Amino acid sequence: MTTTPTRVPIDPFGSDIVAESARLRALGPVVPVELPGGIPAWAPTGYDALRTLILDPQVSKDPRKHWRLWPEVGEHPEWGWVLGWIGVVNMLSTYGADHTRLRRLVAPSFTARRTEALRERVEAVATELLDRMAEAGEAGAVVDLKQAFALPLPMQIICELFGVPDHLRQDVAELVAAIMDTTDQSAEHAAFVQQQIVTVIPAQIAYRAENPGDDLTTELIRVRDDEGDRLSTEELMFTLLLVIGAGFETTVNLIANAVVELLNHPEQLAAVRSGRLDWDQVIDEVLRARPSIASLPLRFAVSDVTVDGVTIPAGDAILTTFGAAGSDPAHYGETAEAFDAARAADDHLSFGIGVHRCIGAPLARMEARTALAALFDRFPALAPAYTADSLEQVPSFIAYGWQTVPVRLAG
């Protein structure tokens, strides 16, 4: 007789992701958990277990084919929050040939060459935003670093890349924030998110269909119209939702988290400024210890999958736990939970690995490197205007970031 495992509830607020990861790790390498709304899943709690599952071809990202509870989703309005992640058809929620086809349409837009071509524009936007910060007040003025710099920089770049007009950008930002929010499992919230998806993204498509330009939305519309067997209207909409949303939201947290850690560890900031550490080391350590995405829903066992003696039954859901992997002492040593850019650990999984590795990784790295160098060059005396316990995590167990990051332009 099959027994139902006792499941550990995941904190929907993501209040203390590092501590929660440690508690789960103490229970085993792969732990049965309960996601917001009561969704049953399995959570790998360490680096090796997560890496093994990500690379296993018997682990899928397509709920329509491989999640045994997919037919029951409509009976659980409290599960509606997850549909913004798995109830869409794009690279994030497909498997095998479908994933390969969709990825090939977008990947050429994020090559190293194209990313390098954007560097000058990223530098210009960073300079403009820093000028505005300087104008906001004299030395000692308090500024929300997230709203003034970490958010608008990647938002501007991704919107230019995909031709998102000014009048739609706030709607896009609010839609992505709503998808990230895992604290509200009400049917009303889920309905709001779904309505925004089918309103905001089609508005972007319609605008670019009427006003074609030298942008990636226009290019994908052309593929849809000329080669419908490669990209359907539904896939076009959900692909844009993914690449535009992921193209700024994760980089916002990468930049903001890096600033917080460097201000909290002034000796490491001094080491960067003196050249003893470089920005790539800082970025890798942020991605390892404070990854922009702590847990990504969901993957699914195509067949029974056994990891470290734990068998995940076919059809069960699996959480992709980047936060737990990055803080695993079995892989990174006893100081795994600490931020230490000198660690030079560039084997983190935060951009994924294998066929689902993030295609936007080179762009995110370049934006973060450019932004951080420009920020601390412009404001070398930048100081925290917060206490250790005053920063508030964004309302999500998925995202790892702060709602605001108040700083003083000079101490």
Side-chain angles (χ1 to χ4, degrees):
M1 182 176 64
T2 302
T3 59
T4 302
T6 301
R7 298 189 177 275
V8 181
I10 294 294
D11 176 13
F13 290 86
S15 304
D16 193 337
I17 289 167
V18 172
E20 182 172 62
S21 296
R23 288 193 296 271
L24 291 174
R25 194 176 298 116
L27 299 175
V30 183
V31 175
V33 296
E34 180 182 284
L35 305 187
I39 299 174
W42 295 84
T45 64
Y47 182 97
D48 290 340
L50 179 61
R51 188 178 190 278
T52 297
L53 286 167
I54 290 177
L55 293 175
D56 192 330
Q58 290 302 299
V59 175
S60 166
K61 297 194 78 174
D62 191 333
R64 293 160 295 277
K65 293 179 180 178
H66 301 121
W67 188 25
R68 62 179 175 79
L69 296 181
W70 179 250
E72 300 178 22
V73 169
E75 302 170 15
H76 295 274
E78 69 277 12
W79 294 2
W81 66 270
V82 82
L83 294 179
W85 296 94
I86 66 170
V88 293
V89 184
N90 55 34
M91 291 179 291
L92 197 65
S93 61
T94 48
Y95 175 73
D98 287 333
H99 168 260
T100 300
R101 171 176 55 84
L102 293 172
R103 186 179 177 93
R104 283 177 176 169
L105 290 173
V106 180
S109 303
F110 292 92
T111 62
R113 179 181 61 81
R114 286 203 172 190
T115 296
E116 184 59 32
L118 287 170
R119 183 183 301 278
E120 186 174 334
R121 180 57 183 152
V122 174
E123 292 172 347
V125 173
T127 298
E128 180 181 343
L129 293 171
L130 294 172
D131 287 344
R132 292 181 191 172
M133 287 173 61
E135 293 169 1
E138 66 283 353
V142 175
V143 174
D144 178 2
L145 190 281
K146 181 176 180 178
Q147 290 298 321
F149 188 65
L151 190 155
L153 190 154
M155 182 72 171
Q156 180 73 22
I157 297 302
I158 202 69
C159 285
E160 290 180 2
L161 196 59
F162 281 88
V164 181
D166 289 346
H167 71 272
L168 287 178
R169 293 183 183 184
Q170 185 60 34
D171 291 339
V172 170
E174 291 176 357
L175 169 57
V176 173
I179 292 173
M180 286 286 182
D181 186 347
T182 57
T183 64
D184 188 346
Q185 292 94 55
S186 69
E188 292 76 14
H189 177 75
F192 169 78
V193 170
Q194 293 304 308
Q195 181 60 38
Q196 289 300 100
I197 289 174
V198 299
T199 301
V200 175
I201 305 303
Q204 161 68 6
I205 295 170
Y207 179 85
R208 276 301 157 208
E210 296 176 4
N211 303 277
D214 183 17
D215 59 81
L216 300 184
T217 298
T218 298
E219 174 60 19
L220 289 174
I221 291 172
R222 185 201 64 76
V223 172
R224 188 267 318 260
D225 292 346
D226 296 349
E227 308 172 58
D229 58 329
R230 294 182 66 203
L231 186 68
S232 69
T233 295
E234 181 185 44
E235 290 169 341
L236 169 62
M237 179 173 68
F238 292 139
T239 293
L240 288 174
L241 173 65
L242 171 63
V243 291
I244 294 174
F248 76 90
E249 177 66 23
T250 54
T251 309
V252 172
N253 290 338
L254 173 56
I255 295 170
N257 290 354
V259 171
V260 168
E261 292 303 329
L262 290 172
L263 294 182
N264 290 350
H265 299 87
E267 75 287 353
Q268 295 187 48
L269 177 57
V272 177
R273 295 185 60 80
S274 70
R276 288 178 286 128
L277 295 174
D278 61 44
W279 286 117
D280 285 324
Q281 288 175 284
V282 171
I283 291 167
D284 275 321
E285 183 65 355
V286 174
L287 289 166
R288 179 198 72 82
R290 312 290 183 257
S292 300
I293 297 295
S295 295
L296 186 64
L298 285 167
R299 283 174 158 84
F300 310 94
V302 176
S303 61
D304 288 359
V305 176
T306 300
V307 179
D308 290 340
V310 179
T311 297
I312 301 172
D316 275 15
I318 304 166
L319 195 59
T320 309
T321 48
F322 299 121
S327 60
D328 181 8
H331 189 80
Y332 292 109
E334 294 182 359
T335 63
E337 293 184 1
F339 180 88
D340 180 7
R343 190 187 308 271
D346 61 359
D347 64 343
H348 59 80
L349 302 174
S350 298
F351 282 132
I353 189 171
V355 297
H356 281 279
R357 179 172 171 78
C358 175
I359 60 173
L363 177 59
R365 283 184 176 277
M366 184 271 284
E367 288 180 329
R369 191 184 308 117
T370 302
L372 293 168
L375 173 69
F376 286 104
D377 282 348
R378 183 64 174 273
F379 301 112
L382 193 74
Y386 56 83
T387 58
D389 59 353
S390 65
L391 291 179
E392 295 184 5
Q393 157 77 8
V394 295
S396 178
F397 79 92
I398 296 173
Y400 196 157
W402 307 111
Q403 294 192 44
T404 62
V405 181
V407 297
R408 288 189 175 83
L409 300 186

